[in-house]
Amino acid sequence: MIRQFAEFWQSDFGWKFRHSPTAVLSFVVSVALVMAAIAAPLIAPTNPFDSASLNLMNGFSAPLQPNAFTGELFLLGTDDQGRDVFSTILYGLRVSLFVGVLAVLFGMVLGVTLGLIAGYVGGRVDGFIMRVADIQLTFPAILVAMLIFGIAKGIIAPQYRDQMAIWVLIIAIGLSDWVPFARVVRGATMVEKNRDYVQAARLIGRKPVAIMVLHILPNVLNPILIIATISLALAIIAEATLSFLGVGAPPTQPSLGTLIRIGQTFLFSGEWWILLFPAATLLALALSVNSLGDWLRDALNPRLK
Amino acid sequence: MLAFLIRRLVQSVVVLLVVGAVSFGMFRFIGDPVNNMLGQERTQADIEQLRDRLGLDRPVFVQYALFLRNAVQGDFGVSYRQGRPVADIIAERAPATLELAAVSGVMALVFGIGLGVLTAINRNSWASSAIMTLSLVGVSLPTFLIGILLIYVFSVQLEWLPSFGRGETVDVGGWSTGFLTQSGLIALILPAITLGLYQMTLIMRIVRSEMLEVLRQDYIRFARARGLRERSINFRHALKNTLVPVITVTGLQMGSIIAFSIITETVFQWPGMGLLFINAVQFVDIPVMAAYLMLISVLFVSINLVVDLLYFAIDPRLRIERAKA
């Protein structure tokens, strides 16, 4: 482990990383936010969803000012129901990242599979898959995701809607961003399938699925990491947007977008902290992941070396 | 060129048929359309009549054809939530969205191209780098946060501009416009900036990088050697040759403006089609969702076609290449 880390540190890639302040900063911020999300139950002072621990008297406490009635102190203040804003942000971060990561994974698996098939099989199958991709690209991803969410809402019985909302979001966002993965993998596969090693594998009688998965896939994986990182930033923003519009994570399981939606209602009454802190967290998350993706793209692009 | 056009036309029709099938599928298979449309007070005769009108006892393909025929004639059924024909509701909401989209589109184009050219010509000035840094923020900020930020600064703190609604509107031949009243124009400012900012920064960045590329070419140096004025070189020789990618992106962005208007309209409670759609999604009002989807796709498909046609109009090289192939 340590030896591998040292190797990475000494490599070209490691050198580039160390010498880019943007990369280091965005990496540190991303990792810190992910850690905070994972460890939310340990760090959060209260569990915002345990109604027994809530005290309505604590409502609308300003950040770092003792509450007028109870004298309790909250780092980032509380909302109208006396929930600690810091804790809700930690739990919201958890939901946002969970949805974002799973949605990208889902889109990635789907896109890579379809891209491999399209590139390797070619012909009509390729034409069909790429046409579907073209049609989908005509529409902005966020619109596609909204539509899928609406359809799912119509199919799922009302009493299960809140429980299922997170999974519907994951599928909706995942289905809306498979195209870039499929395009890149298809292009790379079409190059790789004529290489000698693939011909050799075919000659010794390996099945097409084995050739695709075991031989071609490892050789087309490099660009996928870059697309995945950029997709993650887009997925986090898409999730926040959907939740903000009220067609995403439910108030019982709020993500950062839901928190911003709630906070917006207090914009005019002066409780700025209920809105500001979730918004700043979302911004930090989206910006750091996005610039990490941009940096990866530049650093791994052989043409820019 | 004709073959290319026909291919694009066929493709567009296929897209519309697929979207129509999705809309029809939603309408037909999510819940029972008869129950949804008639509500609580219904008689057996009503049910039979509606069943007959929708053709629910006929094969699915015939139903699909009926659905498409009605849609082409502008009949999208009755909204489950409001109990009124969807076409009426949409006609009522369309002016708000179209006016907002037009203002943001024009704003994005004018400022995007202008700033792009300026930052390319004065590449090393501090103002250019300041604009470029700001544009980076504009690209990465989520739309709804920009809207909230603008509301906070200009409505809550400065109290200069309204934070929601269209202000007063005037009815001109069935089209309610906000352009003719002062409050209507003031109400447009914040939503238009929110909606157009992303498109503006995108257009600006593309114009700038294309301009930088073109300004290095020999013919620009030659034009300069001939003693042409800077303004003529920059706009008649350089800008003209950056237009092809600019048109592609701008055309596609016009589509996104409509889509992103859903977000902007929600933030500013702007009574347009986007707000209508998002409410329809929240309350599973299928006919409204289906109608909006089909309208949007007709719009997208026509924009894409127009963009393709513009290529030919602007770049003569394409005409020759296509003619050979």
Side-chain angles (χ1 to χ4, degrees), chain A residues 218-236:
Chain A
N219 290 301
V220 298
L221 275 179
N222 231 351
I224 294 178
L225 175 69
I226 301 167
I227 303 178
T229 318
I230 295 174
S231 289
L232 180 61
L234 294 178
I236 289 170

Side-chain angles (χ1 to χ4, degrees), chain A residues 17 22-34 288 292:
Chain A
F17 179 75
T22 333
V24 175
L25 182 68
S26 48
F27 181 75
V28 169
V29 173
S30 314
V31 169
L33 287 173
V34 171
S288 61
L292 199 61

Side-chain angles (χ1 to χ4, degrees), chain A residues 150-164:
Chain A
I151 294 175
K153 205 170 173 185
I155 297 172
I156 298 168
Q159 64 266 35
Y160 298 117
R161 274 182 194 161
D162 273 7
Q163 278 173 293
M164 300 288 289

